Amino acid sequence: MFPAKLPSSSTLTVLKGFRTCPPRLPALSNCFIHNQTSRKTDGVHIFSVMFRGALCHQSSICLSAKLRETRFSGRRSFSFSAASVVNSAPVRVQPYLRLMRLDKPIGTWLLYLPCTWSIALAAEPGCLPDVGMLALFGTGALLMRGAGCTINDMWDKDFDKQVARTAARPIAAGDVTRMQALVFLGGQLSLALGVLLCLNSYSIALGASSLSLVITYPLMKRVTYWPQLVLGLTFNWGALLGWSAVKGSCDWSVCLPLYLSGVMWTLIYDTIYAHQDKEDDMKVGVKSTALKFQDQTKLWLSGFTAAMISGLVVAGVNAEQTLPYYSALTVVSIHLARQIYMVDTNNAEDCWKQFVSNRNLGLGLLLGIVAGNLWKESRESSVQNEEAVK
């Protein structure tokens, strides 16, 4: 018999190995239980029952250790991911956090990064960017992205219901009414206005002028195949605002090419993003660059990449940037070339993966700007030392 050939020491060794919480334990235990309980041999069944009991016991320990539920507070511990923060919030608050996409922070990053580029370029030679200004713009990006998503969902309630990826959004799912969303939008815009009022008067006027873009962007997918262009004009306003917040006004020789480069960047990543929904978009009559470009998408994206890098070179030259900046541009170029070459526009999961990778691209460019600005100090110091020697 099979059980007779299994020494008790082996059984104990196997069971002891599961005293610690191994990775993927629930999947392993389910697979084993399914395979073993499907057999009818008595000896094997006895062993599978014994082993299943041990696995289930250890699984429950691991699960309880992971959740750490408390009997008194009813709270659970969570990882510090944005989705975990939202899932751990009070149930009545969660729909509003999802409405502003707090569980999906990639959009906030993509709105915030052009602001950081501009703030860093505006810093004095040899200096780091203003940390207070970066924090202020980070808060503003979070609020304005949330407001933009709220407006978008209010406009697109009926469309969202018909698209698999968006059907569970709070307004489309009925978790938040349009009136509740309107009140919530008012709160977000009020807080964003408070952030804007912390800036100089030039920047206040410049920032306020972008509100029309924020409101009208969600309508563009109904009337044009270029809503991604309008999104680019909206999302990269911070490339103008960051510089003016530091300097008091825009230096258009730097800000304009930086802004246009950001617009090209948005056309790249949001076209890739739009390919996730192209089948649903065709059914409901929504337009996008993904539908316009179709099989020519990669050719268009390559053109946008060339325009983006050219604009960043012009901005760097006019801002008197140095070697680290142009080294970062080389890395950005390679990243974009690889992204365009690798993306499978017919695979929604791959489109999302490539879309999300743009956060790292933006952070890499920010690092290059900061390093290039610090390099200015050392370069100027060396020139001064050479002149002193002469």
Side-chain angles (χ1 to χ4, degrees), residues 113-157:
L113 284 166
C115 306
T116 67
W117 301 344
S118 189
I119 292 170
L121 280 171
E124 292 298 321
C127 296
L128 293 169
D130 188 327
V131 176
M133 199 65 72
L134 289 173
L136 195 65
F137 272 76
T139 304
L142 181 66
L143 292 168
M144 286 306 298
R145 193 266 178 134
C149 290
T150 303
I151 294 170
N152 182 81
D153 288 5
M154 290 173 67
W155 282 120
D156 289 354
K157 176 184 177 181

Side-chain angles (χ1 to χ4, degrees), residues 153 156-161 166-176:
D153 288 5
D156 289 354
K157 176 184 177 181
D158 295 331
F159 285 130
D160 287 345
K161 288 179 179 180
T166 60
R169 286 179 176 174
I171 298 178
D175 297 328
V176 176

Side-chain angles (χ1 to χ4, degrees), residues 19-22 25 56-70 75-79:
R19 287 184 181 176
T20 57
C21 294
L25 181 56
C56 290
H57 175 66
Q58 295 299 333
S59 298
S60 65
I61 292 175
C62 292
L63 187 60
S64 63
K66 182 179 180 180
L67 296 178
R68 299 186 187 279
E69 304 250 8
T70 64
R75 296 180 180 178
R76 66 180 68 176
S77 65
F78 53 91
S79 62

Side-chain angles (χ1 to χ4, degrees), residues 166-183:
T166 60
R169 286 179 176 174
I171 298 178
D175 297 328
V176 176
T177 67
R178 274 182 170 159
M179 180 55 67
Q180 290 171 330
L182 183 62
V183 173

Side-chain angles (χ1 to χ4, degrees), residues 88 90 108 112 121 144 189 226 234 258 263 294 304 309 314 339 384:
S88 300
T108 302
Y112 177 53
L121 280 171
M144 286 306 298
L189 291 177
W226 292 89
T234 307
L258 182 67
V263 173
Q294 306 254 352
F304 296 147
I309 298 302
V314 172
Q339 177 176 284
Q384 291 175 358

